[in-house]
Amino acid sequence: CTCKSWSDLIGSSSFVSTHLHRNVTIHAHVYLLCLHHPNFERQNDNDDPYDIEELQWSLFSNETFEQFSNLSHPLENTEHYRIYGSSNGLVCISDEIMNFDSPIHIWNPSVRKFRTPPTSTNINMKFSHVALQFGFHPGVNDYKAVRMMRTNKGALAVEVYSLRTDSWKMIEAIPPWLKCTWQHYKGTFFNGVAYHVIQKGPIFSVMSFDSGSEEFEEFIAPDAIFRPSELCIGVYKERICLLLDFYPCDEEGMEKVDLWVLREKQWKQLCPFIYPLDYYNRTIGISIDNKILMLRKDYTSGIAYLHLC
């Protein structure tokens, strides 16, 4: 009797929502997903095919960086895969080089279960660029995967997958400002909205697509942003942000990372993050508790270090 009542309670949507909200609020069970060589002290050579074959995905502590567990492909596939998003313990994986027909898997490593979305029947042409993002949309209480595909001639197709209905939907209404030649760079997914840094001519902007309302928006980037290589997009204090590690710092022997957040559809520049100029540094992103993740490489030893700042 107890087993049945507890099972009914745990399986109810209200319990799931309450449990999920609690974990998100207190940042419980937060881990870093890292692709790495089994030997942490070994310098990796990305041009060596044998080095690439040995790379593996693992979960690491968000605070101590200690390894928690390895993540083997749910289908026991030996081919390399890439993680295209994670939310509330679910991980979206697919081929390392995406095609329009690449199989996608929504995977829960904790319980070792996964779902493979059906093959889309909406696509009848080949695309030169495919971008995939995944996350939870609290407004519609559903997990969404957003796939954006472009041809060499600039044609754009957008599809949205719903985990609840286990189906794809083609987005028909593409805004006129996207029906042109543009270059796609980095992106992120937050609260059901897919964000992409794009470039049209000399102008950089952030394109957003709400997977619930199916609406597009464009936010012109600050004038200080003119190159994508040192640019990072993330989430800082529940707001989309841009980090730029390019301009010199006024303080001698120091470097800085400039930071902008999107508030009421406008970019607001915050105080920069200043750090010592003693290693080669590269900003990777921002953790869920609003700390900057930085890669610091010592060229003398050839060893790279991951820092929470």
Side-chain angles (χ1 to χ4, degrees), residues 32-46 50-61 65-72 80-83 96 295 304 306:
L32 290 171
L33 280 164
C34 299
L35 182 66
H36 64 93
H37 193 277
N39 182 2
F40 296 109
E41 301 300 325
R42 184 179 184 280
Q43 187 175 5
N44 185 53
D45 184 0
N46 291 329
Y50 294 103
D51 265 19
I52 296 176
E53 284 182 7
E54 292 189 74
L55 296 179
Q56 64 185 43
W57 285 99
S58 294
L59 291 176
F60 291 81
S61 167
F65 293 161
E66 292 182 5
Q67 189 174 8
F68 178 72
S69 67
N70 295 335
L71 296 182
S72 300
H80 277 292
Y81 63 92
R82 181 178 168 188
I83 293 176
E96 193 169 16
L295 180 71
L306 187 63

Side-chain angles (χ1 to χ4, degrees), residues 66-104:
E66 292 182 5
Q67 189 174 8
F68 178 72
S69 67
N70 295 335
L71 296 182
S72 300
H73 196 288
L75 295 176
E76 299 182 357
N77 194 334
T78 58
E79 295 292 327
H80 277 292
Y81 63 92
R82 181 178 168 188
I83 293 176
Y84 289 89
S86 65
S87 182
N88 305 329
L90 297 185
V91 180
C92 179
I93 65 174
S94 188
D95 295 342
E96 193 169 16
I97 300 177
M98 279 286 294
N99 293 309
F100 71 96
D101 57 351
S102 294
I104 299 171

Side-chain angles (χ1 to χ4, degrees), residues 24-293:
V24 171
T25 303
I26 66 175
H27 295 165
H29 314 297
V30 175
Y31 297 95
L32 290 171
L33 280 164
C34 299
L35 182 66
H36 64 93
H37 193 277
N39 182 2
F40 296 109
E41 301 300 325
R42 184 179 184 280
Q43 187 175 5
N44 185 53
D45 184 0
N46 291 329
D47 295 326
D48 187 340
Y50 294 103
D51 265 19
I52 296 176
E53 284 182 7
E54 292 189 74
L55 296 179
Q56 64 185 43
W57 285 99
S58 294
L59 291 176
F60 291 81
S61 167
N62 193 43
E63 297 178 352
T64 67
F65 293 161
E66 292 182 5
Q67 189 174 8
F68 178 72
S69 67
N70 295 335
L71 296 182
S72 300
H73 196 288
L75 295 176
E76 299 182 357
N77 194 334
T78 58
E79 295 292 327
H80 277 292
Y81 63 92
R82 181 178 168 188
I83 293 176
Y84 289 89
S86 65
S87 182
N88 305 329
L90 297 185
V91 180
C92 179
I93 65 174
S94 188
D95 295 342
E96 193 169 16
I97 300 177
M98 279 286 294
N99 293 309
F100 71 96
D101 57 351
S102 294
I104 299 171
H105 308 290
I106 312 297
W107 176 30
N108 187 334
S110 298
V111 296
R112 299 180 181 179
K113 292 183 179 180
F114 68 94
R115 176 183 292 182
T116 302
T119 302
S120 171
T121 58
N122 301 319
I123 305 300
N124 56 8
M125 60 190 300
K126 290 190 176 182
F127 295 87
S128 60
H129 177 83
V130 180
L132 176 65
Q133 291 173 292
F134 169 81
F136 180 70
H137 197 309
V140 297
N141 193 30
D142 192 10
Y143 292 89
K144 301 278 191 175
V146 177
R147 183 164 55 187
M148 294 190 180
M149 300 155 286
R150 285 192 302 120
T151 66
N152 290 325
K153 296 183 179 180
L156 175 68
V158 179
E159 278 191 309
V160 178
Y161 170 76
S162 165
L163 187 67
R164 181 194 299 159
T165 62
D166 192 29
S167 62
W168 290 95
K169 179 180 180 181
M170 178 65 78
I171 305 303
E172 303 293 344
I174 304 296
W177 51 268
L178 277 176
K179 295 178 180 179
C180 62
T181 301
W182 49 274
Q183 182 67 41
H184 165 265
Y185 294 105
K186 303 164 186 177
T188 190
F189 197 95
F190 177 61
N191 278 348
V193 181
Y195 295 88
H196 292 270
V197 176
I198 64 173
Q199 180 182 6
K200 295 187 290 185
I203 305 298
F204 284 87
S205 62
V206 174
M207 170 189 65
S208 72
F209 172 74
D210 191 317
S211 61
S213 65
E214 301 176 359
E215 294 178 348
F216 293 86
E217 282 192 90
E218 183 180 24
F219 308 98
I220 304 299
D223 293 337
I225 296 174
F226 67 96
R227 53 190 292 171
S229 55
E230 287 83 14
L231 182 65
C232 182
I233 184 170
V235 178
Y236 179 69
K237 294 186 177 180
E238 300 294 305
R239 297 183 186 274
I240 290 298
C241 72
L242 294 174
L243 300 105
L244 182 66
D245 190 356
F246 175 75
Y247 292 104
C249 183
D250 294 334
E251 297 184 35
E252 186 177 353
M254 305 295 283
E255 282 283 354
K256 70 170 182 174
V257 177
D258 290 302
L259 172 63
W260 293 265
V261 296
L262 190 61
R263 289 182 180 172
E264 298 177 352
K265 301 186 178 183
Q266 298 290 329
W267 295 106
K268 178 177 176 58
Q269 187 167 13
L270 304 183
C271 292
F273 171 67
I274 299 175
Y275 59 90
L277 180 60
D278 54 354
Y279 292 94
Y280 166 77
N281 296 268
R282 182 164 64 90
T283 305
I284 297 178
I286 296 184
S287 67
I288 196 171
D289 51 355
N290 302 309
K291 295 177 182 177
I292 295 180
L293 277 165

